[in-house]
Amino acid sequence: MKRLIFILMALLSYGILRAETLKSPDGNIVLDFELDNGVPVYKVDYKGRPVIKESKLGLDLKSGKNLTDGFRLAGSETSTFDETWKPVWGEVKEIRNHYNELEVTLEQPSTDRRMIIRFRVFDDGVGFRYEFPDQPNLDYFVIKEEKTQFAMAGDHTAFWLPGDYDTQEYSTVTSKLSEIRGLMNEAITPNSSQTPFSPTGVQTALMMKTDDGLYINLHEAALVDYSCMSLDLDDKNMIFESHLTPDALGDKGYMQTPAKSPWRTIIVSDDARDILASKMTLNLNEPCVYEDTSWIKPTKYIGVWWEMITGKSTWAYTDLPHVKLDLVDYSRLTPNGRHAANTEHVKEYIDFAAEHGFDAVLVEGWNIGWEDWIGKSKDYVFDFITPYPDFDVEEIERYAKSKGVKMIMHHETSGSVRNYERHMEKAYQFMNDHGYDAVKSGYVGDIIPRGEHHYGQWMVNHYLYALTEAAKHKIMVNAHEAVRPTGLSRTYPNLIGNESARGTEYESFGGNNPDHTTILPFTRLIGGPMDYTPGIFETDISKLNPDNHSYVRSTLARQLALYVTMYSPLQMAADLPENYNRFLDAFQFIKDVPVDWDDSRYLEAEPGDYITVARREKGGNNWYVGSTVDENGHTARFSLDFLEPGKKYIATIYADAPDAHYKDNPQAYTIRKYIVTNKTRIVQPCAPGGGFAMSIEEATDPAALKGLKNYKP
């Protein structure tokens, strides 16, 4: 017996039998960790059902012994954390950050190295990361690959994008995990920069649904000084393994201790609405680093943009096939007559913004260099400070200021990041000098330095550098084609928007699938808000450009709903002013809907089918509801029990007409007003590819209720 006890104690000391269990505060999620013959292994259950089966952890290194096995347990600690914090902007006024934590310290005796794996278990999921303390035998190291596994418990339904080092601008595919390989080639559609890496590789945030009704989301949080993670599927065993974006040499990360990885996140629930409401990704990021955030302001804007996207107008001032910025004299060139960013035309947008209460106007194509900006691997492509001859910077500044409208700067880099960093300080100072406090940046095309990828460690560091340099100038950033967000907006709230997915522009490039906006909140938006640019009222693109036969796969009513369902503190009314003037009654909702909120309620949700959301305005009692549905249509049913008891409200419902359809009758809508209370139950049909929007205003004046009827389904 004594010998048996001695053997057991020896095994425990080397971590072979030692296991740790950690539960969520509500007890529904259980994390188990153990060392299996020196290999770190974890698993996750939700309400007794498997979410992640036994999965290995660790990293392969470029040289020396890998950090995947040969470990023993040096120690473990558990703790609990509970706080409530207030975001600078967001879906809610306050966010609770409540978790139980397990810190596991592992030793690798053969190398005398230490690695910490830190787990945090929330009521809505699990986050974990690797930490590498400062130590003599692990100072500098290069990651060959991270070997984090996520073993699935079945052949789940997945909502996935092809794994790619350079783009997320693919249509989401809905399929079983086992079907990914067979669908991959068709899913990889052309893009200006793309590097798919595997026949079963997919991107995060990855949304899945099990056959027994569990919703599982895999992503990462706090991506800093590390390569972006995709997932590679072993489709025989249904095991995902992390796949980091390489650099030009094929290396995955250059590390110096003390260092840490981003958090690997697993959000889980048996209710799809909980996935949308989760704040775990934000909670795994550090608090705001800025003492003064008064300059960071949610913004609703219009812009000189859609007319170029559709081909009605051009970004370029001339039709020259190529230019050299240090040689060309634009004042001697003949303009093409289709250049949209000219002073008088921009003034028309400023007038429209002022008339309808918009905060700002974005202008693209204002600066020299657009003649040969894309696909040329051109280093010196823009200087970000020199306007075309027909764009008067000083006059635009004066005119916008006189109208109470801000201007949004546009910095397209064409992937020439070295060039952008050379010019960044002057470009930001130019913005300060001319009253611009927000910039839309872009990274279209392959990256320069050549061989680097959009989602590699080098570029991840660049995006953060651009953001923090902008903060020194009190500038907000909306980065397009950048790495997908991972909750960094908590730490750096001047990251007011991102693209990083197929936005509305693709409605002019052949169209988005009708279910697109019923999936994005479950995938792309898990990491942060998207500058989706909704609000297209003229859905037949040929009416703007006879050569473009695309059409928007959405009803007009759903375009209104997206201002609620696609959360962002930066919202664009993307269509042309003349199209809004044709439908001013519907446009009223875009004018009214806020971009910052005190409360949000997810009323209905099923990925790929429908989402219905209610939000309460910042600092007020009015609510706004939006619903987006797929090509099958849907009848929304929900209660207004979130309204304050004992009060009456006026609900204005912007809905699909009975004969509306995203294909052949998208502009058919109705607008009706009703009296509602917290006891009202809404039943609202939505057309295929449609939806509805609703404003709910507190009736403080009884006279406003005259002539209105109580809502009845």
Side-chain angles (χ1 to χ4, degrees):
M1 179 62 70
K2 289 183 178 179
R3 179 177 175 80
L4 178 60
I5 293 174
F6 175 80
I7 293 173
L8 287 171
M9 291 180 65
L11 291 173
L12 285 169
S13 69
Y14 276 87
I16 298 175
L17 299 180
R18 182 70 178 270
E20 300 283 354
T21 297
L22 190 68
K23 294 184 178 181
S24 59
D26 65 5
N28 287 332
I29 298 178
V30 178
L31 165 82
D32 290 312
F33 172 85
E34 66 177 356
L35 283 176
D36 183 1
N37 292 317
V39 176
V41 175
Y42 79 104
K43 68 184 185 73
V44 178
D45 292 339
Y46 176 79
K47 294 182 180 180
R49 297 149 70 181
V51 178
I52 305 294
K53 299 195 302 181
E54 288 80 4
S55 300
K56 298 178 182 179
L57 299 169
L59 298 95
D60 282 350
L61 305 186
K62 187 175 183 179
S63 61
K65 183 174 176 55
N66 294 325
L67 296 173
T68 54
D69 57 12
F71 287 109
R72 68 181 180 188
L73 188 65
S76 64
E77 294 183 10
T78 59
S79 60
T80 297
F81 186 81
D82 193 357
E83 70 168 358
T84 299
W85 58 280
K86 295 183 178 182
V88 175
W89 44 259
E91 296 182 86
V92 292
K93 185 178 182 179
E94 296 181 336
I95 295 175
R96 189 181 184 190
N97 185 13
H98 187 199
Y99 59 82
N100 292 327
E101 181 174 280
L102 169 65
E103 177 189 304
V104 178
T105 301
L106 304 177
E107 288 183 348
Q108 196 177 52
S110 63
T111 61
D112 194 23
R113 291 173 171 175
R114 287 179 295 126
M115 180 175 73
I116 295 170
I117 305 178
R118 188 178 304 276
F119 297 92
R120 290 180 180 173
V121 184
F122 302 77
D123 289 345
D124 50 353
V126 176
F128 60 89
R129 72 181 180 193
Y130 303 98
E131 300 177 5
F132 311 98
D134 190 10
Q135 53 195 293
N137 293 326
L138 189 66
D139 46 12
Y140 294 92
F141 61 99
V142 179
I143 297 173
K144 182 179 180 181
E145 187 59 271
E146 184 183 316
K147 307 297 286 186
T148 302
Q149 292 185 344
F150 303 88
M152 298 295 100
D155 188 10
H156 306 329
T157 298
F159 303 84
W160 57 274
L161 299 178
D164 198 295
Y165 302 148
D166 285 296
T167 186
Q168 278 194 279
E169 295 178 5
Y170 294 121
S171 293
T172 303
V173 181
T174 303
S175 77
K176 291 290 189 179
L177 295 176
S178 59
E179 297 171 333
I180 290 176
R181 183 183 298 271
L183 296 170
M184 183 60 71
N185 287 341
E186 183 181 354
I188 299 173
T189 51
N191 195 272
S192 62
S193 179
Q194 57 189 145
T195 314
F197 63 83
S198 165
T200 58
V202 298
Q203 304 195 34
T204 69
L206 175 66
M207 186 67 197
M208 290 172 285
K209 184 181 180 181
T210 69
D211 289 342
D212 61 349
L214 277 186
Y215 299 88
I216 303 170
N217 185 282
L218 304 181
H219 192 33
E220 61 182 324
L223 175 58
V224 176
D225 195 19
Y226 204 86
S227 290
C228 177
M229 179 185 74
S230 294
L231 300 171
D232 211 356
L233 177 65
D234 171 357
D235 51 2
K236 292 183 179 179
N237 299 299
M238 298 303 161
I239 298 174
F240 284 107
E241 188 166 279
S242 56
H243 183 99
L244 302 182
T245 305
D247 69 357
L249 301 177
D251 297 324
K252 300 298 183 81
Y254 298 84
M255 311 295 286
Q256 179 186 358
T257 58
K260 57 183 178 290
S261 75
W263 296 92
R264 280 61 190 99
T265 63
I266 306 157
I267 304 173
V268 59
S269 180
D270 51 13
D271 188 333
R273 296 175 299 174
D274 294 339
I275 307 296
L276 298 175
S278 175
K279 299 297 180 289
M280 193 181 83
T281 307
L282 287 174
N283 280 329
L284 287 168
N285 279 267
E286 296 299 316
C288 178
V289 297
Y290 307 138
E291 291 185 9
D292 174 26
T293 59
S294 61
W295 51 277
I296 302 172
K297 299 181 184 300
T299 300
K300 194 188 302 183
Y301 72 105
I302 62 171
V304 182
W305 174 76
W306 185 242
E307 58 186 277
M308 289 95 82
I309 291 292
T310 59
K312 179 179 184 291
S313 304
T314 67
W315 285 272
Y317 175 73
T318 78
D319 287 335
L320 289 180
H322 63 88
V323 296
K324 285 191 173 183
L325 296 191
D326 51 352
L327 298 178
V328 67
D329 182 355
Y330 278 97
S331 67
R332 295 178 176 270
L333 300 179
T334 301
N336 60 25
R338 303 185 309 278
H339 181 232
N342 65 78
T343 302
E344 294 309 311
H345 191 46
V346 171
K347 283 184 176 182
E348 294 172 0
Y349 276 83
I350 293 172
D351 288 341
F352 186 83
E355 179 183 356
H356 295 287
F358 283 78
D359 302 305
V361 173
L362 164 75
V363 179
E364 295 196 11
W366 68 276
N367 56 316
I368 61 173
W370 287 91
E371 283 75 11
D372 59 348
W373 70 283
I374 188 170
K376 306 297 192 299
S377 192
K378 186 177 181 180
D379 191 353
Y380 182 33
V381 57
F382 295 113
D383 71 3
F384 310 101
I385 60 172
T386 304
Y388 279 124
D390 60 348
F391 186 87
D392 188 332
V393 174
E394 285 75 19
E395 174 59 15
I396 292 292
E397 176 189 0
R398 183 201 66 77
Y399 193 77
K401 187 175 182 180
S402 74
K403 297 285 186 172
V405 173
K406 301 289 290 187
M407 298 300 297
I408 296 177
M409 177 57 69
H410 184 232
H411 288 166
E412 175 55 60
T413 70
S414 191
S416 185
V417 178
R418 179 173 66 173
N419 181 61
Y420 191 34
E421 291 191 354
R422 287 188 188 123
H423 291 89
M424 188 176 290
E425 173 59 30
K426 286 186 177 180
Y428 286 159
Q429 186 58 53
F430 182 87
M431 290 178 60
N432 289 158
D433 293 343
H434 295 284
Y436 293 77
D437 57 13
V439 61
K440 173 184 176 181
S441 57
Y443 297 86
V444 175
D446 294 337
I447 297 298
I448 299 176
R450 298 174 182 90
E452 293 294 338
H453 296 292
H454 284 75
Y455 306 153
Q457 183 184 28
W458 192 85
M459 281 301 296
V460 166
N461 289 343
H462 162 78
Y463 300 131
L464 185 54
Y465 173 74
L467 189 63
T468 54
E469 289 299 302
K472 295 176 183 178
H473 292 264
K474 296 187 175 182
I475 289 171
M476 300 178 288
V477 176
N478 167 28
H480 282 225
E481 294 87 31
V483 71
R484 50 191 171 271
T486 58
L488 283 175
S489 57
R490 178 188 180 185
T491 312
Y492 308 97
N494 63 318
L495 181 60
I496 200 170
N498 278 112
E499 185 189 37
S500 307
R502 283 175 68 109
T504 298
E505 65 182 356
Y506 276 85
E507 301 286 13
S508 182
F509 305 157
N512 289 322
N513 294 333
D515 66 358
H516 190 53
T517 55
T518 71
I519 297 173
L520 282 177
F522 287 99
T523 54
R524 161 62 183 78
L525 270 67
I526 291 295
M530 179 179 178
D531 183 28
Y532 187 72
T533 62
I536 303 301
F537 282 9
E538 180 48 73
T539 58
D540 181 354
I541 306 303
S542 68
K543 292 184 178 179
L544 282 73
N545 175 8
D547 297 326
N548 188 338
H549 300 289
S550 301
Y551 68 94
V552 182
R553 287 159 170 79
S554 167
T555 66
L556 189 151
R558 181 167 80 169
Q559 288 295 303
L560 303 180
L562 296 179
Y563 290 91
V564 184
T565 64
M566 295 286 293
Y567 167 68
S568 178
L570 180 75
Q571 290 282 19
M572 183 184 196
D575 210 338
L576 277 59
E578 52 262 41
N579 289 332
Y580 289 134
N581 284 330
R582 294 163 53 202
F583 304 98
L584 286 176
D585 55 350
F587 185 61
Q588 187 63 44
F589 182 83
I590 298 179
K591 294 171 59 174
D592 292 341
V593 66
V595 290
D596 200 13
W597 309 98
D598 272 346
D599 196 6
S600 294
R601 309 289 179 91
Y602 288 90
L603 307 177
E604 300 179 308
E606 184 62 36
D609 293 340
Y610 54 84
I611 296 172
T612 304
V613 189
R615 305 190 194 274
R616 180 165 59 85
E617 65 183 348
K618 177 71 71 175
N621 294 319
N622 297 332
W623 288 78
Y624 296 80
V625 181
S627 184
T628 178
V629 310
D630 70 358
E631 68 278 5
N632 298 311
H634 170 70
T635 297
R637 293 179 171 87
F638 57 93
S639 171
L640 299 183
D641 56 6
F642 48 83
L643 299 179
E644 193 171 338
K647 290 187 176 181
K648 292 184 177 181
Y649 295 79
I650 299 173
T652 305
I653 303 176
Y654 303 78
D656 294 320
D659 59 345
H661 194 286
Y662 77 93
K663 282 185 179 179
D664 50 29
N665 200 17
Q667 293 173 332
Y669 63 90
T670 64
I671 302 175
R672 295 187 174 94
K673 291 180 180 288
Y674 300 98
I675 300 171
V676 297
T677 71
N678 75 314
K679 295 181 180 180
T680 301
R681 183 165 181 82
I682 301 294
V683 178
Q684 181 60 55
C686 300
F692 71 90
M694 181 188 306
S695 62
I696 308 174
E697 300 180 5
E698 184 180 354
T700 55
D701 181 4
L705 301 175
K706 290 183 178 180
L708 297 182
K709 297 180 180 179
N710 292 322
Y711 176 87
K712 290 184 180 180

